C-alpha cells in the first residue's frame, strides 16, 4: 500500500511526495502524459493544475487528502511539467481527450471526483461536459473563462529576458505577487522554486480560451454536482466576484461556493489549511 505522505513542509514536502508516489505514463501523441498517484484504496480524486504549472501546484493539499482516505491522482497535463505537448493543438480544448483516455487506462470503471485549478478548471469543466466516465463531482478552484468581459491586463514581466539566478528569481517573485499570491509573506522560497520550475517547462504558451467565457457556456452541460472554491482576492475577478456565483449557477446541479479569506489566485498554496477544509466539504457526498 502506498504510504500517506508525512506532514512536512517546503521542498522537504515535495521530496516526500515524490518518494511516496507511483508514477504512471499514458499516451499523448508520440509522447506520454505523466501521472503521480498516491494510495491504493478509497475514492479517487483527480487534481488538475493551473496553466504554466504541474502537479506541484497541489503540494500543500495532497497530504491532507490522503489523510482523509482519498486516493489522489495528479497529472502533469499535456504541454506542462514532464508531460509531452499535445500533438493536436495548443489550448484547453485538446487536453480533455488525452486526460480522459489516461484515466480510463489507469482507473477503468472507477468513480472519480475532479478538481481543477485555474486553467485546469477550464479543462476539468470541458471534461465534465463531455461526459467523463464515472464522474461524481466537479470542484472548480480559481477557474477562468466565466465572463465575456475581459479582465484588465496584468503587469507581468518576461522572466526569460533575464539569465538564471537572482535577477530571474526576482521576476518570478514579482509575477507571483501580481497574479498568484495576495500576501507577500506567502511568496517563500518554495513558491519561487515551484513556480520557476513549472513556468520554464510551459509549452502551451499560445492558449487563449481562458480569456473568454467558454467555461460559462460549458457549465449548463455539466450533469454532475459543481462546487467552487476561490481566494477572496483572486486577481482574475478583482472587483467583480459576483461573476463567479452567476457562472456557477448555470450548472444544473450547482453546489456551494466558498471564498477563502486572505487568499489570492493560488488559494490552495497560500491558505492551505482553510482550503483543505473547504475542499473536504466540497468533496463530501
Amino acid at each position: 500500500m502506498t504510504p500517506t505522505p508525512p506532514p512536512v513542509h517546503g521542498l522537504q514536502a515535495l521530496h516526500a511526495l515524490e518518494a511516496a508516489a507511483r508514477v504512471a505514463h499514458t499516451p499523448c501523441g508520440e509522447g506520454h502524459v505523466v501521472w503521480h498517484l498516491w494510495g491504493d484504496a478509497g475514492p479517487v480524486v483527480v487534481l488538475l493544475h493551473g496553466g504554466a504549472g504541474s502537479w506541484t501546484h497541489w503540494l500543500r493539499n495532497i497530504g491532507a487528502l490522503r489523510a482523509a482516505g482519498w486516493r489522489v491522482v495528479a497529472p502533469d497535463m499535456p504541454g506542462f511539467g514532464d508531460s509531452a505537448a499535445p500533438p493536436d493543438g495548443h489550448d484547453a480544448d485538446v487536453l480533455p481527450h488525452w486526460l480522459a483516455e489516461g484515466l480510463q487506462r489507469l482507473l477503468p470503471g472507477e468513480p472519480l471526483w475532479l478538481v481543477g485549478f485555474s486553467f485546469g478548471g477550464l479543462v476539468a469543466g470541458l471534461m465534465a461536459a463531455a461526459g467523463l466516465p464515472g464522474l461524481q463531482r466537479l470542484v472548480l478552484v480559481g477557474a477562468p473563462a466565466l465572463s465575456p468581459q475581459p479582465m484588465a491586463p496584468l503587469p507581468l514581466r518576461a522572466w526569460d529576458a533575464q539569465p538564471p539566478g537572482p535577477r530571474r528569481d526576482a521576476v518570478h517573485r514579482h509575477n507571483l505577487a501580481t497574479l498568484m499570491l495576495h500576501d507577500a509573506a506567502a511568496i517563500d522560497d518554495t513558491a519561487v522554486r515551484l513556480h520557476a520550475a513549472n513556468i520554464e517547462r510551459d509549452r502551451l504558451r499560445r492558449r487563449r480560451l481562458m480569456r473568454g467565457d467558454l467555461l460559462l457556456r460549458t457549465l449548463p452541460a455539466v450533469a454532475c454536482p459543481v462546487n467552487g472554491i476561490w481566494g477572496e482576492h483572486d486577481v482574475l475577478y478583482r472587483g467583480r466576484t459576483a461573476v463567479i456565483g452567476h457562472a456557477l449557477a448555470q450548472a444544473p446541479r450547482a453546489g456551494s461556493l466558498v471564498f477563502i479569506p486572505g487568499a489570492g489566485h493560488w488559494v490552495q498554496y497560500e491558505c492551505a489549511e482553510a482550503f483543505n477544509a473547504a475542499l473536504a466539504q466540497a468533496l463530501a457526498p
Side-chain angles (χ1 to χ4, degrees):
M1 179 177 293
T2 305
T4 298
V8 292
H9 304 285
L11 294 179
Q12 184 183 0
L14 177 65
H15 300 324
L17 285 172
E18 289 175 327
R22 175 170 68 91
V23 178
H25 300 80
T26 60
C28 182
E30 296 183 358
H32 296 93
V33 179
V34 179
W35 303 76
H36 287 74
L37 303 93
W38 294 267
D40 300 310
V44 179
V45 60
V46 181
L47 306 177
L48 300 186
H49 61 77
S54 75
W55 72 267
T56 63
H57 271 168
W58 305 100
L59 173 67
R60 294 182 170 178
N61 319 112
I62 294 168
L65 288 165
R66 286 292 301 123
W70 291 91
R71 277 184 287 166
V72 180
V73 178
D76 288 352
M77 295 193 295
F80 303 102
D82 292 332
S83 291
D88 46 352
H90 303 277
D91 216 323
D93 55 338
V94 302
L95 302 191
H97 162 74
W98 301 108
L99 295 169
E101 180 182 276
L103 287 169
Q104 288 307 296
R105 287 173 178 262
L106 296 172
L107 301 159
E110 292 272 9
L112 303 172
W113 283 255
L114 183 61
V115 184
F117 165 55
S118 193
F119 177 77
L122 173 56
V123 175
L126 294 173
M127 293 174 69
L132 178 67
L135 183 59
Q136 306 297 303
R137 184 176 298 271
L138 171 66
V139 182
L140 299 174
V141 180
L146 295 179
S147 171
Q149 177 186 354
M151 62 175 285
L154 296 173
L156 297 170
R157 297 175 182 170
W159 58 267
D160 49 0
Q162 302 296 336
R167 289 169 61 184
R168 181 176 289 188
D169 287 348
V171 173
H172 288 319
R173 287 182 179 275
H174 167 84
N175 290 344
L176 281 165
T178 300
L179 173 61
M180 298 290 277
L181 299 168
H182 174 68
D183 186 348
I187 308 173
D188 57 12
D189 290 341
T190 300
V192 175
R193 291 279 294 276
L194 296 181
H195 181 70
N198 286 333
I199 202 167
E200 293 173 18
R201 294 180 292 169
D202 179 0
R203 282 143 290 143
L204 258 64
R205 298 187 189 181
R206 286 185 282 170
R207 53 190 184 273
R208 298 289 183 270
L209 292 175
M210 62 187 295
R211 299 181 181 179
D213 64 348
L214 178 57
L215 185 54
L216 172 68
R217 292 183 284 111
T218 297
L219 283 170
V222 176
C224 71
V226 179
N227 294 71
I229 305 173
W230 262 258
E232 70 168 344
H233 300 293
D234 192 323
V235 298
L236 299 189
Y237 299 97
R238 180 180 290 151
R240 54 182 192 138
T241 54
V243 164
I244 302 169
H246 168 76
L248 262 62
Q250 307 312 303
R253 300 176 67 186
S256 63
L257 171 60
V258 175
F259 290 94
I260 303 296
H265 183 57
W266 193 6
V267 54
Q268 72 269 34
Y269 185 90
E270 185 163 14
C271 294
E273 185 174 352
F275 174 86
N276 290 337
L279 182 59
Q281 289 295 317
L283 292 171

